[in-house]
Coordinates of all heavy atoms in Angstrom, one line a residue:
M1 N -27.0 30.9 -30.2 CA -27.9 30.3 -29.2 C -28.7 29.2 -29.8 O -29.2 29.2 -30.9 CB -28.9 31.4 -28.7 CG -28.3 32.4 -27.7 SD -29.2 32.4 -26.2 CE -30.8 33.1 -26.6
S2 N -28.7 28.1 -29.1 CA -29.4 26.9 -29.6 C -30.9 27.0 -29.3 O -31.3 27.5 -28.3 CB -28.8 25.7 -28.9 OG -29.5 24.6 -29.2
K3 N -31.6 26.4 -30.2 CA -33.1 26.4 -30.0 C -33.5 25.2 -29.2 O -34.6 25.1 -28.6 CB -33.8 26.3 -31.4 CG -33.8 27.6 -32.1 CD -34.3 27.4 -33.5 CE -35.8 27.5 -33.6 NZ -36.3 27.5 -35.0
E4 N -32.5 24.3 -29.1 CA -32.8 23.1 -28.2 C -32.8 23.5 -26.8 O -31.9 24.2 -26.3 CB -31.6 22.1 -28.4 CG -31.6 21.5 -29.8 CD -32.7 20.5 -30.0 OE1 -33.0 19.7 -29.1 OE2 -33.4 20.5 -31.1
R5 N -33.8 23.1 -26.1 CA -33.9 23.4 -24.7 C -34.0 22.1 -23.9 O -34.6 21.2 -24.4 CB -35.1 24.3 -24.4 CG -34.9 25.7 -25.0 CD -35.9 26.7 -24.4 NE -35.6 27.0 -23.0 CZ -36.5 27.7 -22.3 NH1 -37.6 28.1 -22.7 NH2 -36.1 28.0 -21.0
L6 N -33.5 22.2 -22.7 CA -33.6 21.0 -21.9 C -35.1 20.7 -21.6 O -35.8 21.5 -21.2 CB -32.8 21.3 -20.6 CG -32.6 20.1 -19.7 CD1 -31.6 19.1 -20.3 CD2 -32.1 20.6 -18.3
Q7 N -35.4 19.5 -21.8 CA -36.8 19.0 -21.6 C -36.9 18.8 -20.1 O -36.4 17.9 -19.5 CB -37.1 17.7 -22.3 CG -37.4 18.0 -23.8 CD -38.8 18.4 -24.0 OE1 -39.7 17.8 -23.5 NE2 -39.0 19.5 -24.8
L8 N -37.7 19.7 -19.5 CA -38.0 19.5 -18.0 C -39.2 18.7 -17.8 O -40.2 18.8 -18.5 CB -38.2 20.9 -17.4 CG -37.0 21.9 -17.5 CD1 -37.4 23.2 -17.0 CD2 -35.9 21.3 -16.6
P9 N -39.1 17.7 -16.9 CA -40.3 16.9 -16.6 C -41.4 17.8 -16.1 O -41.2 18.7 -15.3 CB -39.8 15.9 -15.5 CG -38.3 16.1 -15.5 CD -38.0 17.4 -16.0
I10 N -42.6 17.4 -16.5 CA -43.8 18.2 -16.0 C -44.3 17.5 -14.8 O -44.6 16.3 -14.8 CB -44.9 18.2 -17.1 CG1 -44.3 18.7 -18.4 CG2 -46.1 19.0 -16.7 CD1 -43.9 20.2 -18.4
C11 N -44.6 18.3 -13.8 CA -45.2 17.8 -12.5 C -46.6 17.2 -12.8 O -47.4 18.0 -13.4 CB -45.2 18.8 -11.5 SG -46.1 18.4 -10.0
T12 N -46.8 16.0 -12.4 CA -48.1 15.4 -12.7 C -49.3 16.1 -12.0 O -50.4 16.1 -12.4 CB -48.1 13.9 -12.4 OG1 -47.0 13.3 -13.0 CG2 -49.3 13.2 -12.9
S13 N -49.0 16.7 -10.8 CA -50.0 17.3 -10.0 C -50.4 18.7 -10.5 O -51.5 19.0 -10.6 CB -49.5 17.3 -8.6 OG -49.4 16.0 -8.0
C14 N -49.4 19.5 -10.7 CA -49.7 20.9 -11.1 C -49.4 21.3 -12.5 O -49.6 22.4 -12.9 CB -48.9 21.9 -10.1 SG -47.1 21.7 -10.2
N15 N -48.9 20.3 -13.3 CA -48.6 20.5 -14.7 C -47.6 21.6 -15.0 O -47.7 22.3 -16.1 CB -50.0 20.8 -15.5 CG -50.8 19.5 -15.7 OD1 -50.2 18.5 -16.1 ND2 -52.0 19.6 -15.4
R16 N -46.7 21.8 -14.1 CA -45.7 22.8 -14.4 C -44.4 22.1 -14.5 O -44.1 21.1 -13.9 CB -45.7 23.8 -13.2 CG -47.0 24.6 -13.1 CD -47.0 25.4 -11.8 NE -46.3 26.7 -12.0 CZ -46.4 27.7 -11.2 NH1 -47.2 27.6 -10.2 NH2 -45.8 28.9 -11.5
P17 N -43.5 22.7 -15.3 CA -42.2 22.1 -15.5 C -41.4 22.1 -14.2 O -41.4 23.2 -13.5 CB -41.5 23.0 -16.5 CG -42.5 23.9 -17.1 CD -43.6 23.9 -16.2
T18 N -40.8 21.0 -13.8 CA -40.1 21.0 -12.6 C -38.7 21.5 -12.8 O -38.1 21.4 -13.9 CB -40.0 19.5 -12.1 OG1 -39.4 18.7 -13.1 CG2 -41.3 19.0 -11.8
L19 N -38.1 22.1 -11.8 CA -36.8 22.7 -11.9 C -35.8 21.7 -11.4 O -36.0 20.9 -10.4 CB -36.7 24.0 -11.0 CG -37.7 25.1 -11.5 CD1 -37.7 26.2 -10.4 CD2 -37.3 25.6 -12.8
P20 N -34.6 21.6 -12.1 CA -33.6 20.6 -11.7 C -33.2 20.8 -10.2 O -32.8 19.8 -9.6 CB -32.4 21.0 -12.6 CG -33.1 21.7 -13.8 CD -34.2 22.4 -13.2
K21 N -33.2 22.0 -9.7 CA -32.8 22.2 -8.3 C -33.8 21.8 -7.3 O -33.5 21.7 -6.1 CB -32.4 23.7 -8.1 CG -33.6 24.7 -8.3 CD -33.1 26.1 -8.0 CE -34.3 27.0 -8.2 NZ -33.9 28.4 -8.0
E22 N -35.0 21.6 -7.8 CA -36.1 21.2 -6.9 C -35.9 19.7 -6.5 O -35.3 18.9 -7.1 CB -37.4 21.3 -7.6 CG -38.1 22.6 -7.4 CD -39.5 22.6 -8.0 OE1 -39.6 22.6 -9.2 OE2 -40.4 22.6 -7.2
N23 N -36.5 19.4 -5.4 CA -36.5 18.0 -4.9 C -37.6 17.2 -5.5 O -38.6 16.9 -4.9 CB -36.6 18.1 -3.3 CG -35.6 17.1 -2.7 OD1 -35.1 16.2 -3.3 ND2 -35.4 17.4 -1.4
V24 N -37.4 16.9 -6.8 CA -38.5 16.3 -7.5 C -38.4 14.7 -7.3 O -37.3 14.2 -7.3 CB -38.4 16.6 -9.0 CG1 -39.5 15.9 -9.8 CG2 -38.3 18.1 -9.2
V25 N -39.6 14.1 -7.2 CA -39.6 12.7 -7.1 C -40.3 12.1 -8.3 O -41.2 12.7 -8.9 CB -40.3 12.2 -5.8 CG1 -39.4 12.4 -4.6 CG2 -41.7 12.8 -5.6
K26 N -39.9 11.0 -8.8 CA -40.5 10.3 -9.9 C -40.7 8.8 -9.5 O -39.9 8.2 -8.8 CB -39.7 10.4 -11.2 CG -38.3 9.9 -11.1 CD -37.7 9.9 -12.4 CE -36.2 9.4 -12.3 NZ -35.6 9.3 -13.6
F27 N -41.9 8.3 -9.9 CA -42.1 6.9 -9.6 C -43.2 6.5 -10.6 O -44.0 7.3 -11.1 CB -42.6 6.8 -8.1 CG -43.8 7.6 -7.8 CD1 -45.1 7.2 -7.9 CD2 -43.6 8.9 -7.3 CE1 -46.2 8.0 -7.6 CE2 -44.7 9.8 -7.0 CZ -46.0 9.3 -7.1
Y28 N -43.3 5.2 -10.8 CA -44.3 4.7 -11.7 C -45.6 4.5 -11.0 O -45.6 4.3 -9.7 CB -43.8 3.3 -12.2 CG -42.8 3.5 -13.3 CD1 -41.4 3.3 -13.1 CD2 -43.2 3.8 -14.6 CE1 -40.5 3.5 -14.1 CE2 -42.3 3.9 -15.6 CZ -40.9 3.8 -15.4 OH -40.0 3.9 -16.4
C29 N -46.6 4.7 -11.7 CA -48.0 4.6 -11.2 C -48.1 3.3 -10.4 O -47.8 2.2 -10.9 CB -49.0 4.6 -12.3 SG -50.7 4.2 -11.9
P30 N -48.6 3.4 -9.1 CA -48.7 2.2 -8.3 C -49.8 1.2 -8.8 O -49.8 0.1 -8.4 CB -49.0 2.7 -6.9 CG -49.4 4.1 -7.1 CD -48.9 4.6 -8.4
E31 N -50.7 1.7 -9.6 CA -51.8 0.9 -10.1 C -51.4 0.1 -11.4 O -51.5 -1.1 -11.4 CB -53.0 1.8 -10.4 CG -54.3 1.0 -10.7 CD -54.8 0.4 -9.4 OE1 -54.4 0.7 -8.3 OE2 -55.7 -0.5 -9.6
C32 N -50.9 0.8 -12.4 CA -50.6 0.1 -13.7 C -49.1 0.0 -13.9 O -48.7 -0.8 -14.7 CB -51.3 0.9 -14.9 SG -50.6 2.5 -15.1
G33 N -48.3 0.8 -13.3 CA -46.9 0.7 -13.4 C -46.4 1.1 -14.7 O -45.2 0.8 -15.1
K34 N -47.1 1.8 -15.5 CA -46.7 2.2 -16.9 C -46.4 3.6 -17.0 O -45.6 4.0 -17.9 CB -47.8 1.8 -17.9 CG -47.9 0.3 -18.2 CD -49.0 0.0 -19.1 CE -49.2 -1.5 -19.3 NZ -50.4 -1.8 -20.1
V35 N -47.0 4.4 -16.2 CA -46.8 5.9 -16.4 C -45.9 6.4 -15.3 O -46.0 6.1 -14.1 CB -48.2 6.6 -16.3 CG1 -48.0 8.1 -16.4 CG2 -49.1 6.1 -17.4
L36 N -44.9 7.2 -15.7 CA -44.0 7.8 -14.8 C -44.6 9.0 -14.2 O -44.9 9.9 -15.0 CB -42.7 8.1 -15.5 CG -41.4 8.3 -14.6 CD1 -41.2 7.2 -13.7 CD2 -40.2 8.5 -15.5
I37 N -44.7 9.1 -12.9 CA -45.4 10.2 -12.3 C -44.2 11.1 -11.7 O -43.3 10.6 -11.1 CB -46.2 9.7 -11.1 CG1 -47.2 8.6 -11.5 CG2 -47.0 10.9 -10.4 CD1 -48.5 9.0 -11.9
W38 N -44.4 12.4 -12.0 CA -43.4 13.3 -11.5 C -44.1 14.2 -10.5 O -45.2 14.7 -10.7 CB -42.8 14.2 -12.6 CG -41.9 13.5 -13.5 CD1 -42.3 12.7 -14.6 CD2 -40.5 13.4 -13.5 NE1 -41.2 12.2 -15.2 CE2 -40.0 12.7 -14.5 CE3 -39.5 14.0 -12.6 CZ2 -38.7 12.4 -14.8 CZ3 -38.2 13.8 -12.9 CH2 -37.8 13.0 -13.9
R39 N -43.5 14.5 -9.4 CA -44.1 15.4 -8.4 C -43.0 16.4 -8.0 O -41.9 16.0 -7.5 CB -44.6 14.6 -7.2 CG -45.9 13.9 -7.6 CD -46.5 13.3 -6.3 NE -47.5 14.1 -5.8 CZ -47.9 14.0 -4.5 NH1 -47.4 13.2 -3.7 NH2 -48.8 14.8 -4.1
C40 N -43.4 17.6 -8.0 CA -42.4 18.7 -7.6 C -42.4 18.8 -6.1 O -43.3 18.2 -5.4 CB -42.7 20.0 -8.2 SG -44.3 20.7 -7.7
E41 N -41.5 19.5 -5.6 CA -41.3 19.6 -4.1 C -42.6 20.2 -3.5 O -43.1 19.8 -2.4 CB -40.1 20.5 -3.9 CG -39.5 20.4 -2.5 CD -38.3 21.3 -2.4 OE1 -37.9 21.9 -3.3 OE2 -37.7 21.2 -1.3
K42 N -43.1 21.2 -4.1 CA -44.3 21.9 -3.6 C -45.5 21.0 -3.5 O -46.2 20.9 -2.5 CB -44.7 23.1 -4.6 CG -45.1 24.3 -3.8 CD -45.2 25.4 -4.9 CE -45.5 26.7 -4.2 NZ -45.5 27.8 -5.1
C43 N -45.7 20.2 -4.5 CA -46.9 19.3 -4.5 C -46.7 18.2 -3.5 O -47.7 17.7 -2.9 CB -47.1 18.7 -5.9 SG -47.7 19.9 -7.1
R44 N -45.5 17.8 -3.2 CA -45.3 16.8 -2.2 C -45.5 17.4 -0.8 O -46.2 16.8 0.0 CB -43.8 16.3 -2.2 CG -43.6 15.2 -3.2 CD -42.1 14.9 -3.4 NE -41.5 14.6 -2.1 CZ -40.3 15.0 -1.8 NH1 -39.6 15.7 -2.6 NH2 -39.7 14.7 -0.6
L45 N -45.1 18.6 -0.6 CA -45.3 19.3 0.7 C -46.8 19.5 0.9 O -47.3 19.4 2.0 CB -44.5 20.6 0.7 CG -43.0 20.5 0.9 CD1 -42.4 21.9 0.6 CD2 -42.6 20.0 2.2
L46 N -47.5 19.9 -0.2 CA -48.9 20.2 0.0 C -49.8 18.9 -0.2 O -51.0 19.0 -0.1 CB -49.3 21.2 -1.0 CG -48.6 22.6 -0.9 CD1 -48.9 23.5 -2.1 CD2 -49.0 23.3 0.4
S47 N -49.2 17.8 -0.5 CA -49.9 16.5 -0.7 C -50.9 16.7 -1.7 O -52.1 16.2 -1.6 CB -50.5 16.0 0.6 OG -49.5 15.7 1.6
R48 N -50.6 17.4 -2.8 CA -51.6 17.5 -3.9 C -51.8 16.2 -4.6 O -50.8 15.4 -4.7 CB -51.0 18.5 -4.9 CG -51.1 19.9 -4.4 CD -51.1 20.9 -5.6 NE -51.2 22.3 -5.2 CZ -50.2 23.2 -5.5 NH1 -49.2 22.9 -6.3 NH2 -50.4 24.4 -5.1
P49 N -53.0 15.9 -5.0 CA -53.3 14.6 -5.7 C -52.7 14.6 -7.1 O -52.5 15.6 -7.7 CB -54.8 14.6 -5.7 CG -55.2 16.0 -5.7 CD -54.2 16.7 -4.9
Y50 N -52.4 13.4 -7.6 CA -52.0 13.3 -9.0 C -52.9 12.3 -9.6 O -53.6 11.5 -9.0 CB -50.5 12.8 -9.0 CG -50.3 11.5 -8.3 CD1 -50.6 10.2 -9.0 CD2 -49.8 11.4 -7.0 CE1 -50.4 9.0 -8.3 CE2 -49.6 10.2 -6.4 CZ -49.9 9.0 -7.0 OH -49.7 7.8 -6.4
K51 N -53.0 12.3 -10.9 CA -53.8 11.3 -11.6 C -53.0 10.7 -12.8 O -52.4 11.4 -13.6 CB -55.0 12.1 -12.2 CG -56.1 11.1 -12.7 CD -57.3 11.9 -13.1 CE -58.4 10.9 -13.6 NZ -59.6 11.6 -14.0
C52 N -53.1 9.4 -12.8 CA -52.4 8.6 -13.9 C -53.2 8.8 -15.2 O -54.4 8.6 -15.2 CB -52.3 7.2 -13.5 SG -51.7 6.1 -14.8
V53 N -52.4 9.2 -16.2 CA -53.1 9.4 -17.5 C -53.5 8.1 -18.2 O -54.3 8.0 -19.1 CB -52.2 10.2 -18.5 CG1 -52.0 11.6 -18.0 CG2 -50.8 9.5 -18.6
N54 N -52.9 7.0 -17.7 CA -53.2 5.7 -18.4 C -54.4 5.0 -17.7 O -55.3 4.6 -18.4 CB -51.9 4.8 -18.2 CG -52.1 3.5 -18.9 OD1 -52.5 3.4 -20.1 ND2 -51.9 2.4 -18.2
C55 N -54.4 4.9 -16.4 CA -55.5 4.1 -15.8 C -56.4 5.0 -14.9 O -57.4 4.5 -14.4 CB -54.9 3.0 -14.9 SG -54.0 3.6 -13.5
G56 N -56.0 6.3 -14.8 CA -56.9 7.2 -14.0 C -56.8 7.1 -12.5 O -57.5 7.6 -11.8
F57 N -55.7 6.3 -12.1 CA -55.5 6.2 -10.7 C -55.2 7.6 -10.0 O -54.4 8.3 -10.6 CB -54.4 5.2 -10.4 CG -54.0 5.1 -9.0 CD1 -54.7 4.3 -8.1 CD2 -52.9 5.8 -8.5 CE1 -54.4 4.1 -6.8 CE2 -52.5 5.7 -7.1 CZ -53.3 4.8 -6.3
E58 N -55.9 7.8 -8.9 CA -55.6 9.1 -8.3 C -55.1 8.8 -6.9 O -55.6 7.9 -6.2 CB -56.9 9.9 -8.2 CG -57.3 10.6 -9.4 CD -58.5 11.5 -9.3 OE1 -58.4 12.5 -8.7 OE2 -59.6 11.0 -9.8
G59 N -54.2 9.6 -6.4 CA -53.7 9.4 -5.1 C -52.5 10.3 -4.8 O -51.9 10.8 -5.7
P60 N -52.2 10.4 -3.5 CA -50.9 11.0 -3.1 C -49.9 9.9 -2.9 O -50.2 8.7 -3.0 CB -51.3 11.7 -1.8 CG -52.6 11.1 -1.3 CD -53.1 10.2 -2.4
Ligands
ZN116 ZN1 -46.2 20.2 -8.8
ZN117 ZN1 -51.7 4.1 -13.9

């Protein structure tokens, strides 16, 4: 068994690893354009806010 594990992107809203089967969206921060924001299906459905770690931009 390999110790290497697939790096799952962390949802920016809930800080949980996203599952490949989920309908995950990724986009760059609309404010600074430097940070890649990941949002899992659940957070999109619930319109949970996210916060950019670089510029602090918050929004859905
Ligand atoms: Zn999430
Ligand atoms: Zn930003």
Side-chain angles (χ1 to χ4, degrees):
M1 282 237 291
S2 172
K3 284 170 88 177
E4 293 287 317
R5 293 194 70 188
L6 190 69
Q7 282 279 311
L8 295 171
I10 306 294
C11 172
T12 310
S13 294
C14 63
N15 283 315
R16 297 172 85 163
T18 57
L19 300 171
K21 64 178 179 184
E22 272 187 286
N23 224 338
V24 183
V25 287
K26 58 172 177 176
F27 54 92
Y28 282 97
C29 168
E31 191 72 16
C32 65
K34 286 178 182 171
V35 177
L36 196 55
I37 312 265
W38 289 84
R39 287 186 96 199
C40 68
E41 201 174 1
K42 219 172 188 175
C43 288
R44 275 172 55 220
L45 286 170
L46 298 172
S47 297
R48 287 204 180 121
Y50 59 83
K51 191 175 184 182
C52 172
V53 290
N54 183 52
C55 67
F57 176 80
E58 283 183 72

